[in-house]
Amino acid sequence: MSVDMSQFHQVFFEESLEGLDIMEQGLLALEPGSQDLDTIGAIFRAAHSIKGGSGTFGFSEVAEFTHILETLLDEIRDGQRLLTGDAINLFLQSVDCLRAMFDALQTESPLDMESAHALNKQFQAMLNGEAVTVDTGMGSEPVPTPATAADSKGQSGVRGWVVTFKPDLDLLRTGNEPVRMFRELEVFGEVTARCDLSKLPSLGTLTPEECYLSWTLEIVTDEALESIKEVFEWVEDESDLTYAALGDHDSPDQATEVLQPAPAAIEPLDAAPAPALVDDASRTQAAAAVVKANSGKKADTSIRVSTDKIDALINMVGELVITQSMLGTLGESFAMANLHKLQQGLEQLEHNTRELQESVMRIRMLPISFTFNRFPRLVRDMSQAMGKKIELIMDGEGTELDKTVMEKIGDPLVHLVRNSLDHGIEMPQDRLDAGKPETGQIKLNAFHQGGSIVIEISDDGKGLDADAILAKARRNGLVGPDQELSSNQIHELIFEAGLSTAAAVTDVSGRGVGMDVVRKNINELGGGIEIESAKGVGTTMRVRLPLTLAILDGQLVRVGTHTYIFPIINIIESLQVKTEQINQIAGGAEVMRLRDEYIPVVRLYDVFSITADSTRLEDGLVVVLEFDNEKVAIAVDDLLSQQQVVIKSLETNYEKVDGVSGATILGDGTVAMILDVQSLIRMAGVRQSHIQRTISL
Amino acid sequence: MEAAAAERKANGVAGALEQYLTFMLDGEEYGVDILSVREIRGWDSATPVPNAPKHVKGVINLRGTIVPLIDLRERFNLEPLDYGPMTVVIVLNVNTEKGEKTMGIVVDAVSDVYSISPDDMRDPPDLGDSVDTHYIKGLVNVQETMVILLEIDRFLNADRLPTSSDYAAEA
């Protein structure tokens, strides 16, 4: 029988990654020394099924690695060992390591076994009862330790092992095959098996799928008990197993597994050596970066949808079919007397269509917890590394967001949270001195507002230092020496590229690093970011995003006989210009003075080579648009309606067009181009100078 | 072209009939593989694409899909003809490097469907640099009329619809 297992790989990967999430969340919830058996059990089960699955699919590296992890977990679960802070750290690192392995397997790139081996050694050391210092020094050689008595090889008087193996009735149904296990044992040495047939029922009542037999096995070997147990690892939940040493009946203690509880070295979490952890964090990131580079290779992505959503969809389609057949019947013998029925039917159809559209869109929506779930780990690792005490509060994790948006917002959010952690929250002592509780708070909150989703990242840290930012901005020439700015305008300055790289500001106020990139990424998603900060009280970053990238709120404009669409989110205002507002700069570039700002003017008919009603700017309107803090004034003939439009790709059948981000189909069935503000700004060819820009700030 | 014909023979498919949809363009009859034809429709207004080449007449909405239309007369540098109720758009599926694309070509009129044996197909004569023959699959005589069979994937292929000089550079 040959089954192509690779068809199940994707499902297995998804399940395993989910399992890793469960493990990580469980580990983060556990305190050192915790006896929370439910959580430990959940972690164990997740590890167990990853091991089982990877064994089945032939990913032996993963199976081997998980095996040792599972052994340790098992001992903790059975109360033979205390859960130390070190063990939690080690487990968390293993989760990262396994993630990297799965990513490599998914992209069919070679596995990086180095960190797995290093972790493996640490686990081995911990299993052997050593108090391992998890300093993540992957390169450092763990000291080999003498194994515990019963596990060691060549123990005096031990010639081998006696195993009694009483499987549960349904062992065979789980796909386990005793014969195979016995063959595996034969590798270790001579095996004598005695079969107990006493439970075997009469032929008439026998169910061939059930296992009535049990065995006593004698294995003559030098192998350690561990190796023997490994053979039965798969079935230990489904059978009674006892192990005894062969030919050494004098020491029955050793018959059962002897495992010394680890020295109760429960250290406080933040006693972990900080530099090493930082190091580890950066390595994790490096690994993540590699994964990202590889992820382009992934053939197809899938999405897990709750059956509720699918059921709703099926109901909706059912209704649609009924409406359709009703209309069909009506159409077969239509008389004017039935007109109102037709109208009713059409109304029904419209209703069905709208609902159907909504439910189809909902399929792509995932709860934002998919993104939020990475933060407990991030906060834990970073606060440990920096010696800060931080509590993370998450709210609105059930808020749903389009999958594509979610994938793209992850990195900017991580950046914002890191900023809060790094620069916002003070050191515990500083907090106490400032009269605040020692433990800082970071709040993540997601909620719907209008047609958008808002994600707030707030901290009760020291807030932005407006004076320092302003001073820095003046030094950089971003702000003139005599220019007065409101505190809001000063806060906005941290999004400036000029301020982002300056280490001086980072030291004083933080918040500068890469914020320009964060804003750009959010802008690209059609969203925006606001900042609210009070010195000494804390900072709130508010990210506003569209629910989906498939539909946008559009402003229809007319140029000559053509209709174009601007995304409303980019529009600042539309106005009629007066001649005196327009100036020509050398080279013919036009700028418009709007209040105390100069904005480059783009004549749409010009860049698109079409005919407009008039070439005089005063006759038409200009629409002032903003993208990534750059403004542009686009000259159009008229403003038409505002409406939601479905974004269609032009590239599917044609090619990328400059100045156009896509197309849509209007109510009358005609196609209209959706304009790409970013590329129009580029096409304007006039980059506003910093000075011009900051006048407005 | 010869190589292609030889390959067809070698594959043992010689003699198997291929069906071509033919259409008229400036008095000449052209044919495209009928399997690539998706539908035939009348001319309706198209939305112009900013800064597109002259022969790209714009994009239309084909049941929710945005489909570009290419005027074949202008593509072949023929005299443009005013569009009227008789103007025909043939919607074709084209294989490109980036997967299958749907495009429409504007022609004067649809003519016929012929079954043609590849054996009867003649390579186009070498007309020098003056005429680009790269997108011509072959010539065939049907009842004393010459039909020009087009290699549709070729001349609608590539994002920017290549000119003859591209092929020259390629060779």
Side-chain angles (χ1 to χ4, degrees):
Chain A
M1 183 181 70
S2 81
V3 179
D4 178 17
M5 294 298 255
S6 61
Q7 57 179 317
F8 305 114
H9 282 180
Q10 191 56 35
V11 177
F12 164 67
F13 289 142
E14 270 167 39
E15 281 181 1
S16 299
L17 290 173
E18 266 174 36
L20 288 176
D21 287 343
I22 291 169
M23 286 173 71
E24 185 168 65
Q25 280 160 34
L27 288 165
L28 290 170
L30 287 174
E31 294 290 319
S34 161
Q35 302 287 333
D36 180 355
L37 287 180
D38 284 350
T39 312
I40 297 174
I43 298 169
F44 176 81
R45 279 193 299 279
H48 186 73
S49 44
I50 290 173
K51 188 188 89 171
S54 34
T56 309
F57 289 108
F59 302 128
S60 53
E61 294 95 337
V62 180
E64 273 164 34
F65 181 67
T66 333
H67 173 69
I68 189 155
L69 202 121
E70 198 193 355
T71 314
L72 190 62
L73 274 168
D74 191 29
E75 288 175 11
I76 293 168
R77 187 179 60 164
D78 292 350
Q80 294 167 358
R81 187 180 281 277
L82 274 171
L83 182 68
T84 60
D86 286 342
I88 295 182
N89 281 337
L90 200 52
F91 283 134
L92 282 173
Q93 286 173 29
S94 320
V95 169
D96 291 341
C97 181
L98 281 168
R99 259 199 205 119
M101 281 175 158
F102 282 122
D103 282 327
L105 287 171
Q106 249 172 320
T107 51
E108 290 173 11
S109 41
L111 289 181
D112 169 28
M113 293 306 290
E114 203 178 303
S115 52
H117 286 316
L119 283 168
N120 227 327
K121 279 184 188 158
Q122 295 191 47
F123 273 118
Q124 201 68 59
M126 196 174 268
L127 270 174
N128 291 341
E130 240 192 306
V132 189
T133 327
V134 185
D135 65 356
T136 77
M138 305 268 183
S140 72
E141 282 295 311
V143 189
T145 48
T148 41
D151 284 359
S152 67
K153 284 185 178 190
Q155 182 72 23
S156 63
V158 179
R159 292 191 296 118
W161 308 96
V162 180
V163 182
T164 58
F165 173 38
K166 290 183 189 151
D168 292 353
L169 273 184
D170 50 6
L171 178 90
L172 301 176
R173 290 202 182 120
T174 59
N176 289 295
E177 181 73 68
V179 177
R180 241 187 4 227
M181 292 186 271
F182 300 162
R183 282 204 194 115
E184 242 176 277
L185 286 176
E186 276 181 336
V187 178
F188 301 128
E190 192 187 319
V191 180
T192 324
R194 277 197 305 275
C195 185
D196 180 2
L197 301 171
S198 60
K199 295 229 178 73
L200 201 63
S202 65
L203 196 59
T205 53
L206 183 139
T207 313
E209 283 168 13
E210 292 188 340
C211 180
Y212 304 98
L213 308 176
S214 55
W215 291 269
T216 309
L217 301 154
E218 285 180 18
I219 308 120
V220 181
T221 176
D222 286 344
E223 243 350 279
L225 181 57
E226 272 307 302
S227 324
I228 309 288
K229 288 174 86 174
E230 214 168 288
V231 174
F232 294 99
E233 188 74 41
W234 287 72
V235 295
E236 61 185 15
D237 292 344
E238 292 143 324
S239 53
D240 267 355
L241 279 163
T242 62
Y243 304 93
L246 182 67
D248 188 10
H249 300 286
D250 302 334
S251 50
D253 311 1
Q254 288 183 357
T256 49
E257 182 186 358
V258 175
L259 284 158
Q260 297 164 345
I266 305 165
E267 292 166 31
L269 277 178
D270 31 17
L277 265 168
V278 174
D279 198 36
D280 181 48
S282 60
R283 188 169 32 234
T284 315
Q285 277 179 353
V290 172
V291 168
K292 233 167 268 157
N294 284 341
S295 60
K297 273 194 236 159
K298 261 185 232 177
D300 48 5
T301 58
S302 62
I303 188 166
R304 288 191 158 216
V305 182
S306 76
T307 25
D308 291 357
K309 288 181 180 173
I310 303 281
D311 287 347
L313 204 57
I314 290 168
N315 281 342
M316 225 76 81
V317 172
E319 271 181 50
L320 194 65
V321 170
I322 293 167
T323 310
Q324 184 257 329
S325 73
M326 184 188 98
L327 284 171
T329 319
L330 206 61
E332 270 167 26
S333 53
F334 185 73
M336 275 316 276
N338 285 336
L339 185 65
H340 72 283
K341 272 194 187 168
L342 177 70
Q343 278 166 342
Q344 267 175 7
L346 287 173
E347 253 168 53
Q348 183 76 30
L349 186 68
E350 189 196 328
H351 178 74
N352 290 153
T353 316
R354 203 173 40 235
E355 273 190 24
L356 193 63
Q357 184 205 343
E358 275 169 21
S359 1
V360 171
M361 300 296 280
R362 221 172 286 145
I363 287 191
R364 286 192 60 86
M365 305 288 257
L366 294 173
I368 198 156
S369 54
F370 277 83
T371 300
F372 275 12
N373 279 346
R374 67 172 90 171
F375 290 117
R377 177 74 192 281
L378 180 89
V379 171
R380 177 187 185 275
D381 286 357
M382 276 192 75
S383 54
Q384 255 187 37
M386 291 188 294
K388 290 182 181 177
K389 294 197 172 169
I390 294 167
E391 182 190 9
L392 178 70
I393 301 166
M394 297 196 289
D395 216 352
E397 294 137 287
T399 314
E400 292 197 327
L401 187 60
D402 186 281
K403 187 170 182 259
T404 328
V405 183
M406 183 113 62
E407 279 163 3
K408 292 187 178 156
I409 197 61
D411 289 342
L413 284 185
V414 167
H415 197 95
L416 293 174
V417 171
R418 286 176 74 104
N419 264 352
S420 280
L421 253 154
D422 193 4
H423 311 304
I425 307 270
E426 312 90 330
M427 297 301 282
Q429 193 53 50
D430 297 342
R431 289 184 63 89
L432 288 175
D433 292 348
K436 293 193 213 177
E438 192 187 15
T439 305
Q441 268 190 356
I442 294 180
K443 276 189 207 158
L444 280 175
N445 189 13
F447 54 92
H448 287 296
Q449 199 175 67
S452 355
I453 182 170
V454 179
I455 304 168
E456 280 181 352
I457 300 105
S458 42
D459 64 63
D460 64 348
K462 59 186 168 216
L464 293 176
D465 187 341
D467 298 338
I469 298 172
L470 189 59
K472 175 75 184 175
R474 286 201 206 280
R475 271 205 305 283
N476 280 8
L478 274 170
V479 179
D482 304 320
Q483 210 176 332
E484 289 302 317
L485 298 183
S486 74
S487 65
N488 248 343
Q489 289 173 335
I490 296 172
H491 294 155
E492 285 282 322
L493 283 173
I494 65 166
F495 293 115
E496 290 299 317
L499 274 171
S500 66
T501 48
V505 169
T506 311
D507 290 335
V508 185
S509 70
R511 306 284 178 184
V513 187
M515 286 300 273
D516 55 327
V517 181
V518 170
R519 178 161 66 180
K520 188 154 178 285
N521 289 347
I522 292 170
N523 281 169
E524 269 165 15
L525 283 171
I529 180 167
E530 293 160 28
I531 194 164
E532 210 174 87
S533 182
K535 199 175 170 182
V537 180
T539 309
T540 299
M541 298 282 182
R542 199 167 288 119
V543 178
R544 192 179 297 276
L545 292 170
L547 279 181
T548 164
L549 296 182
I551 291 181
L552 71 84
D553 282 312
Q555 167 71 57
L556 275 60
V557 301
R558 184 179 63 81
V559 180
T561 54
H562 306 272
T563 304
Y564 296 105
I565 295 160
F566 286 118
I568 283 186
I569 191 143
N570 295 118
I571 299 179
I572 295 179
E573 59 184 294
S574 312
L575 66 156
Q576 276 186 311
V577 283
K578 300 189 188 76
T579 323
E580 59 269 27
Q581 278 179 282
I582 304 294
N583 290 84
Q584 296 277 342
I585 292 183
E590 271 178 309
V591 292
M592 178 182 79
R593 187 167 50 78
L594 181 62
R595 292 177 284 275
D596 44 8
E597 196 178 357
Y598 289 94
I599 301 169
V601 177
V602 172
R603 295 169 185 249
L604 211 52
Y605 65 83
D606 211 13
V607 293
F608 282 174
S609 324
I610 50 175
T611 318
D613 290 359
S614 161
T615 55
R616 280 161 36 92
L617 287 180
E618 307 83 68
D619 293 345
L621 290 166
V622 297
V623 184
V624 181
L625 298 140
E626 186 182 49
F627 184 90
D628 195 19
N629 213 25
E630 284 196 56
K631 293 199 180 80
V632 66
I634 310 268
V636 300
D637 282 336
D638 205 357
L639 289 185
L640 307 172
S641 64
Q642 293 183 355
Q643 66 183 63
Q644 282 209 326
V645 298
V646 179
I647 303 169
K648 302 266 180 186
S649 160
L650 260 183
E651 281 162 85
T652 315
N653 290 321
Y654 186 57
E655 61 185 82
K656 175 103 192 72
V657 178
D658 236 10
V660 172
S661 62
T664 192
I665 295 159
L666 299 177
D668 62 358
T670 58
V671 180
M673 301 287 157
I674 301 168
L675 301 182
D676 179 0
V677 180
Q678 191 182 12
S679 85
L680 282 173
I681 291 176
R682 207 186 55 238
M683 285 164 84
V686 181
R687 298 275 297 188
Q688 293 156 285
S689 76
H690 276 302
I691 291 149
Q692 277 170 352
R693 242 194 299 170
T694 45
I695 294 169
S696 67
L697 282 169
Chain B
M1 241 14 93
E2 277 146 32
E7 192 184 315
R8 273 194 298 275
K9 276 182 188 132
N11 287 343
V13 290
L17 294 181
E18 290 173 6
Q19 287 199 304
Y20 287 84
L21 173 80
T22 64
F23 55 84
M24 301 307 293
L25 202 65
D26 203 23
E28 293 294 340
E29 195 167 0
Y30 292 84
V32 290
D33 186 346
I34 204 159
L35 294 177
S36 64
V37 176
R38 195 161 139 179
E39 65 182 82
I40 299 165
R41 48 193 286 141
W43 164 260
D44 202 356
S45 67
T47 304
V49 178
N51 299 319
K54 209 163 65 123
H55 58 261
V56 177
K57 302 317 283 182
V59 287
I60 56 161
N61 160 29
L62 187 76
R63 292 180 297 280
T65 313
I66 309 289
V67 174
L69 296 188
I70 287 144
D71 185 304
L72 222 50
R73 276 178 171 261
E74 293 191 42
R75 177 74 181 86
F76 290 162
N77 291 321
L78 301 169
E79 198 58 33
L81 201 68
D82 283 342
Y83 292 167
M86 296 306 291
T87 309
V88 171
V89 173
I90 303 177
V91 182
L92 299 164
N93 287 334
V94 189
N95 290 310
T96 74
E97 297 143 7
K98 292 184 180 171
E100 196 175 71
K101 292 193 174 192
T102 306
M103 294 179 169
I105 51 173
V106 183
V107 300
D108 295 354
V110 168
S111 170
D112 213 333
V113 174
Y114 299 131
S115 294
I116 292 166
S117 161
D119 291 342
D120 298 336
M121 208 186 294
R122 300 283 167 265
D123 290 341
D126 188 357
L127 301 170
D129 287 344
S130 56
V131 180
D132 177 14
T133 56
H134 275 86
Y135 46 77
I136 298 174
K137 201 185 215 171
L139 306 175
V140 72
N141 272 324
V142 182
Q143 293 149 12
E144 304 307 308
T145 336
M146 185 188 74
V147 177
I148 306 154
L149 303 180
L150 293 174
E151 188 74 86
I152 208 75
D153 294 347
R154 264 217 147 120
F155 87 94
L156 291 181
N157 199 344
D159 275 349
R160 53 195 182 84
L161 308 166
T163 57
S164 58
S165 56
D166 289 324
Y167 287 122
E170 212 174 84

